[in-house]
């Protein structure tokens, strides 16, 4: 099946793909590079912080790879691959959500204050809501199901 034979993408699907791509490049890429710059001065005071930063970066890199793959699957519009895109979105959202909490778990007590936990809760709710809204769109849209039908 050539790209010309495939059904056209919906506007919302294009918006989702652009947002997921930008989130995977600019959002996650900036977080991966900035976290080391922010916490590097404290590596000598908190020995576990270096490992926490590395784990955080690896989890975010994994999320970015899954985000790229999900965009690629959606762009291809191959019959029967909607399930793969939905699972990709779930894994992407889970990794984004887990990255912050994993960081503070391995950071050895750094940043476990009330304000930090509150900020993590707010960002976690935002990640969950965003992922849920887009997942529901992929799962319930008749047009999207029609695009990926056999």
């Amino acid at each position: 099946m050539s790209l010309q034979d495939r059904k056209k993408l919906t506007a919302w699907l294009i918006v989702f793909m652009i947002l997921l791509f930008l989130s995977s490049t600019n959002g996650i890429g900036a977080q991966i590079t900035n976290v080391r710059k922010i916490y590097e001065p404290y590596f000598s005071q908190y020995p576990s912080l270096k490992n926490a930063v590395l784990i955080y970066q690896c989890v975010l890199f994994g999320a970015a790879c899954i985000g790229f793959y999900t965009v690629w699957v959606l762009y291809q519009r191959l019959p029967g691959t909607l399930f793969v895109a939905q699972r990709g979105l779930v894994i992407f959202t889970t990794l984004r959500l887990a990255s912050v909490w994993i960081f503070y778990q391995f950071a050895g007590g750094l940043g476990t204050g009330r304000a930090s936990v509150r900020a993590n809760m707010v960002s976690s709710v935002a990640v969950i809501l965003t992922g849920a809204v887009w997942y529901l769109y992929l799962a319930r849209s008749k047009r999207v199901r029609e695009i990926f039908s056999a």
Side-chain angles (χ1 to χ4, degrees):
M1 175 184 261
S2 70
L3 196 57
Q4 295 167 344
D5 297 337
R6 296 183 191 141
K7 297 175 184 170
K8 291 186 177 186
L9 294 169
T10 66
W12 284 112
L13 199 54
I14 293 170
V15 167
F16 170 65
M17 291 167 53
I18 290 170
L19 290 176
L20 186 58
F21 182 80
L22 291 177
S23 175
S24 296
T25 55
N26 296 340
I28 291 178
Q31 288 176 342
I32 288 173
T33 56
N34 288 339
V35 70
R36 185 166 188 88
K37 290 177 188 174
I38 292 169
Y39 289 105
E40 196 166 27
Y42 305 106
F43 284 172
S44 61
Q45 292 174 315
Y46 301 95
S48 62
L49 189 58
K50 189 173 186 175
N51 289 336
V53 168
L54 180 62
I55 292 168
Y56 178 76
Q57 289 174 322
C58 288
V59 171
L60 282 180
F61 181 74
C65 290
I66 295 293
F68 292 139
Y69 180 71
T70 304
V71 170
W72 181 76
V73 166
L74 289 171
Y75 177 74
Q76 292 297 315
R77 299 182 296 269
L78 296 175
T81 57
L82 181 59
F83 178 78
V84 174
Q86 290 170 337
R87 294 304 165 252
L89 177 60
V90 169
I91 294 169
F92 175 81
T93 303
T94 303
L95 288 175
R96 288 293 306 261
L97 181 63
S99 65
V100 174
W101 295 103
I102 287 172
F103 176 79
Y104 288 108
Q105 180 67 32
F106 286 98
L110 185 67
T112 56
R114 253 186 162 173
S116 178
V117 171
R118 188 175 298 132
N120 286 349
M121 293 297 272
V122 169
S123 66
S124 296
V125 168
V127 167
I128 290 170
L129 287 176
T130 304
V133 166
W134 285 113
Y135 182 84
L136 288 173
Y137 171 70
L138 290 177
R140 300 202 180 249
S141 171
K142 291 178 184 175
R143 180 73 175 118
V144 170
R145 281 183 288 185
E146 181 183 306
I147 291 171
F148 292 93
S149 65

